[in-house]
Amino acid sequence: MTQHTADWWRDAVIYQVYPRSFADANGDGMGDLEGVRSRLPYLRELGVDAVWLSPFYASPQADAGYDVADYRAVDPMFGTVEHAEALIRDAHELDLRVIVDVVPNHSSDQHEWFKRAVKEGPDSPLRGRYHFRAGRGADGELPPNDWESIFGGPAWTRTTNPDGSPGEWYLHLFAPEQPDFNWDHPAVADEFRSILRFWLDLGVDGFRVDVAHGLVKADGLPDIGGRDQLKLLGNAAMPFFDQDGVHEIYRSWRRVLDEYPGERIAVAEAWTPTVDRTALYVRPDELHQAFNFQYLATYWDATALREVIDTSLEAMRPVGAPATWVLSNHDVTRHATRFANPAGLGTQLRTPGDRELGLRRAHAATLLMLALPGSAYVYQGEELGLPDVTDLPDEARQDPSFFRAAGQDGFRDGCRVPIPWTRDGSSYGFGGGGSWLPQPSQWAELSVEAQSGDQGSTLELYRGALALRRSHPGLGAGESVEWRAAPEGVLAFAREGGFVCTANTTGEPVRIPTPGQALLSSGTVLYGDEFAELPADTTVWWQT
């Protein structure tokens, strides 16, 4: 059974499962909960502490399940609530915790509340639970304000009244099928506290809060005053993101979580302009962790990495929360591909780059991340060194943002291709009936089967690193690192217990004084009596 270790989340390694792409038990080409359940022993052997499941709720799947029609039901494509209960039970037997997504910013347009609000017309009391507004212009033909959808196009869609006349508009920061809740309405807050309790009663250990920064909108829904608003995201204050009112919501959620034993947690997906703003979400009476998107977006460069590491640790220290570290997830190009390309291209890339370079840097970046104090997140398949699939044909793509704004930032399918388990089969062991997105032929040699036991493989590097991280007293939770002098382009820091990490981010070998005995390295190091030569793009763990 799961051990109720105090503050387990402060140093946890949490593995993100994207259910439709992890494992398919019923052979329909789509991953499901029984598939995840069957692979839990693999995750236990890998050495992670918890599993985070992307949404599996009842949904029309307009945005891969982030458009929820019923928050207390499992979509039939993934199974049933009983399958979810069995998965949670089996995970706990393996000493794995389970974190599930919760999507509080918006629902599906097929949610019962929204369907009734539209059907009943402008006088429906249910409209107050969403953002319905009259349009501007002589006949209300213009949207209520100038906000743009994250997926491209306007953030408003006009309804049709029951008599067939043009009606009010409703707000959707994402797809039109995802109307935003109005969190000023008390019924919305009551409903989500009830949803949290439903899943906590089933045994989940916590929640990843989708769009945690988006729930509260500025009073009056003011215009922004310009186009191309997507370029401002994460860099400027926006009237629909990171409003101070979100924090009272999360204080009420924390009270719910604290009612339950075993330290149930919540993790914020909060895109904010600064790490300091992110820290506000993890004050002692709010959420437990927040994703460190500033770190994810940092390129493989020593100066930039040191700055974001210092900034992250300094921001978390006053609020007593652990820093988190993440390199990939279901919304960005995998880091094995990002690092294969030149700097400055962002987190959504369309070119494969130099595969050998990207994989070498990915290995080094992983060891650096796992050496930092706090909690780390691993996205499914990164332990196999999977690259993004950048050449998916247009007809295979399913990312909704691909079909809006001429495909702008609509290439998330590339990191969502189902992962390979075996060398053979219609889907390399994913399931017996093919795969919902086409897998490259190279997947065979990147499979779990092909890499298991190969000490030079990405998989065995992860297994070794996670085992050391779990056993070494200097790794895991903490608030700081002790930086050491190092050549330009090299990061070197010490932690308690005689642990030292050195990372050469340059494209050339670098000679450094040997800090101690090598514990693990991402490349082949040349050792001398007093010096060690770190190959290009290599990280080494040492014991002094």
Side-chain angles (χ1 to χ4, degrees):
M1 294 295 291
T2 299
Q3 301 297 310
H4 295 312
T5 309
D7 291 347
W8 66 269
W9 43 276
R10 290 188 174 274
D11 65 354
V13 176
I14 300 172
Y15 185 99
Q16 181 189 357
V17 166
Y18 193 67
R20 61 172 57 208
S21 298
F22 191 65
D24 171 20
N26 63 7
D28 65 355
M30 185 70 67
D32 46 46
L33 294 182
E34 283 292 274
V36 178
R37 183 184 175 200
S38 72
R39 297 295 187 179
L40 289 173
Y42 163 78
L43 297 179
R44 174 70 281 165
E45 183 184 0
L46 182 62
V48 300
D49 301 293
V51 181
W52 152 33
L53 297 166
S54 292
F56 50 79
Y57 308 111
S59 165
Q61 303 296 320
D63 184 23
Y66 283 93
D67 51 318
V68 181
D70 186 344
Y71 290 84
R72 297 176 182 83
V74 173
D75 195 279
M77 71 160 48
F78 297 123
T80 66
V81 170
E82 288 72 26
H83 289 141
E85 285 187 282
L87 189 161
I88 295 165
R89 183 177 62 249
D90 284 8
H92 288 170
E93 290 290 343
L94 291 167
D95 200 24
L96 290 167
R97 289 176 168 84
V98 177
I99 295 169
V100 298
D101 248 295
V102 64
V103 187
N105 179 71
H106 49 263
S107 74
S108 165
D109 63 353
Q110 297 305 302
H111 190 285
E112 193 59 34
W113 285 1
F114 190 79
K115 287 197 299 183
R116 284 180 53 196
V118 172
K119 181 179 179 180
E120 294 171 5
D123 295 329
S124 172
L126 287 171
R127 292 204 171 193
R129 302 179 186 187
Y130 295 89
H131 293 278
F132 282 87
R133 295 288 187 277
R136 295 191 287 195
D139 298 308
E141 72 277 11
L142 301 176
N145 67 21
D146 66 357
W147 294 0
E148 295 173 1
S149 164
I150 307 304
F151 287 165
W156 295 89
T157 291
R158 197 171 193 184
T159 62
T160 300
N161 290 323
D163 64 3
S165 63
E168 294 180 319
W169 299 71
Y170 68 88
L171 176 68
H172 52 87
L173 290 181
F174 295 89
E177 297 88 352
Q178 295 169 289
D180 279 45
F181 284 116
N182 175 16
W183 273 85
D184 291 332
H185 197 294
V188 175
D190 289 345
E191 171 70 354
F192 272 90
R193 284 191 292 268
S194 174
I195 291 166
L196 296 182
R197 287 192 172 96
F198 176 86
W199 290 101
L200 289 166
D201 289 341
L202 286 182
V204 302
D205 299 284
F207 302 91
R208 177 263 194 187
V209 186
D210 184 61
V211 196
H213 53 299
L215 279 56
V216 173
K217 279 66 176 176
D219 289 343
L221 309 184
D223 282 340
I224 292 173
R227 302 297 300 274
D228 294 326
Q229 295 165 14
L230 296 184
K231 296 178 181 177
L232 300 176
L233 293 180
N235 300 305
M238 305 293 278
F240 48 73
F241 278 168
D242 195 31
Q243 299 292 304
D244 289 338
V246 299
H247 298 291
E248 185 50 46
I249 296 169
Y250 297 133
R251 291 186 187 100
S252 74
W253 285 21
R254 180 60 176 262
R255 291 191 288 271
V256 172
L257 291 166
D258 288 348
E259 294 172 7
Y260 288 80
E263 291 197 288
R264 317 293 179 96
I265 73 164
V267 183
E269 184 213 25
W271 289 88
T272 66
T274 66
V275 178
D276 289 330
R277 289 292 298 179
T278 302
L280 298 178
Y281 290 77
V282 290
R283 287 176 285 195
D285 62 344
E286 294 191 41
L287 306 181
H288 297 75
Q289 292 184 352
F291 289 134
N292 191 341
F293 292 116
Q294 284 81 6
Y295 185 77
L296 182 150
T298 302
Y299 196 67
W300 182 240
D301 172 83
T303 301
L305 285 165
R306 178 165 175 169
E307 180 179 353
V308 74
I309 290 167
D310 282 341
T311 301
S312 301
L313 292 171
E314 288 167 7
M316 295 300 127
R317 202 172 294 124
V319 296
T324 64
W325 315 101
V326 60
L327 293 167
S328 289
N329 64 34
H330 65 292
D331 281 332
V332 300
T333 299
R334 290 181 177 276
H335 62 279
T337 296
R338 294 202 316 273
F339 293 154
N341 282 274
L345 300 181
T347 58
Q348 287 252 342
L349 278 64
R350 305 177 188 180
T351 53
D354 182 333
R355 168 63 176 161
E356 183 180 344
L357 174 65
L359 188 58
R360 187 169 71 237
R361 287 175 169 175
H363 289 173
T366 295
L367 289 195
L368 174 63
M369 175 184 80
L370 293 176
L372 293 169
S375 179
Y377 284 77
V378 173
Y379 177 52
Q380 66 176 44
E382 73 172 73
E383 79 278 12
L384 303 176
L386 296 186
D388 240 59
V389 182
T390 57
D391 59 354
L392 285 171
D394 288 356
E395 59 269 21
R397 294 190 178 278
Q398 300 193 30
D399 184 348
S401 61
F402 178 77
F403 302 100
R404 296 167 62 85
Q408 181 178 7
D409 288 337
F411 289 84
R412 296 178 298 174
D413 292 316
C415 66
R416 299 175 177 183
V417 174
I419 67 173
W421 295 92
T422 60
R423 285 189 172 98
D424 302 310
S426 66
S427 61
Y428 305 109
F430 167 67
S435 161
W436 69 280
L437 284 173
Q439 300 159 299
S441 60
Q442 299 93 324
W443 252 218
E445 292 310 310
L446 294 175
S447 66
V448 173
E449 179 186 22
Q451 294 195 44
S452 290
D454 176 359
Q455 295 308 308
S457 70
T458 307
L459 177 58
E460 294 300 343
L461 178 68
Y462 269 75
R463 286 172 172 167
L466 291 172
L468 267 173
R469 193 180 192 275
R470 186 182 289 266
S471 64
H472 197 290
L475 291 171
E479 294 184 344
S480 62
V481 297
E482 178 190 333
W483 292 107
R484 294 192 167 184
E488 184 176 356
V490 175
L491 293 171
F493 62 83
R495 297 192 59 190
E496 295 179 2
F499 177 86
V500 172
C501 177
T502 57
N504 176 14
T505 69
T506 76
E508 303 293 335
V510 175
R511 178 182 269 201
I512 63 168
T514 303
Q517 179 184 357
L519 298 172
L520 187 65
S521 66
S522 66
T524 303
V525 179
L526 299 179
Y527 300 100
D529 292 337
E530 297 182 0
F531 290 88
E533 185 174 280
L534 306 184
D537 304 307
T538 297
T539 298
V540 186
W541 289 0
W542 309 86
Q543 179 67 44
T544 61

